[in-house]
Amino acid sequence: MALPLPASASGMLRIVGGNSTDTGQEPWMVALASRSVYGNSRSGQFCGGTLVSPTKVVTAAHCLYDESTERPADRPDLRVIVGRTDLSTSDGAEVPVSRVWIDPDYSMSSNMWDIAVLTLAVPQTGRPVLPLVPQGATAPYLAGTTATVYGWGDTSGRGQYPYVLHQVQVPVVGDAVCQRDYPGGPDGTFRARAMVCAGEQSRGGKDACQGDSGGPLVVGGQLVGLVSWGTGCAEAGHPGVYSRVAAMANAVRGQL
Ligand code: ARG
């Protein structure tokens, strides 16, 4: 979902600063797609998601919102694409969604509780899933922990959308530091209750970006974060902000 946030011009490679990977290695990585809204060239991809059970996908609530109406978007052709590394192909499957649950506390204005669960109309039996971090876990969120984020989003911060899945390793940024990075105002407010930051705090260069939203931040083989928001992409002093899954895991488990 392309929030039109400007990216700084400096120091960006490619996600941003990472490298390509594939859904054979990350079989739980899925794309959210709507061909009627986003076109066919990249299979209609607009967000990422994570398969957490044969029928359930965790993503960001804001992926399912209409930015103009600030209401849940009506996308009759919403699909979850599984097993497709390269969005220009027809590999894997495009699975219809039978139910959408958006965290009732989600707020588009504050970006709080940015999490949703999709129910697949066709169970993905046998496809490996990624477990959720336990409710209340703290260890994966310690500053400096290495996390990996995955997605098909902008690789440069200048609107370059790849066909193939990318990944990048980003250190978790401590809550006190992120509070200083995003104290409020136009850049948004970081709130550790429901968010966690990751990125190269002092150098920048590595980050998620537009189109990666809803995708997983992974530590130790568990889903610990969801790409949510940030100022620009890969800027020093503006790390990526993620939904803090350990603060929402019980609510999500109620939906599984
Ligand atoms: N809101 C964006 C999206 O919808 C994700 C932005 C993430 N930005 C970042 N710098 N990590 O795709």
Side-chain angles (χ1 to χ4, degrees), residues 160-188:
Q160 289 176 305
Y161 290 88
Y163 289 114
V164 301
L165 180 62
H166 279 66
Q167 65 175 9
V168 68
Q169 292 198 334
V170 278
V172 171
V173 172
D175 294 338
V177 170
C178 207
Q179 236 132 34
R180 287 198 291 276
D181 292 338
Y182 293 112
D187 283 354

Side-chain angles (χ1 to χ4, degrees), residues 1 3 62 207-213 227-230 232-233 240:
M1 292 263 294
L3 290 180
H62 84 262
D207 197 2
C209 198
Q210 311 328 315
D212 289 321
S213 277
V227 177
S228 181
W229 61 281
C233 298

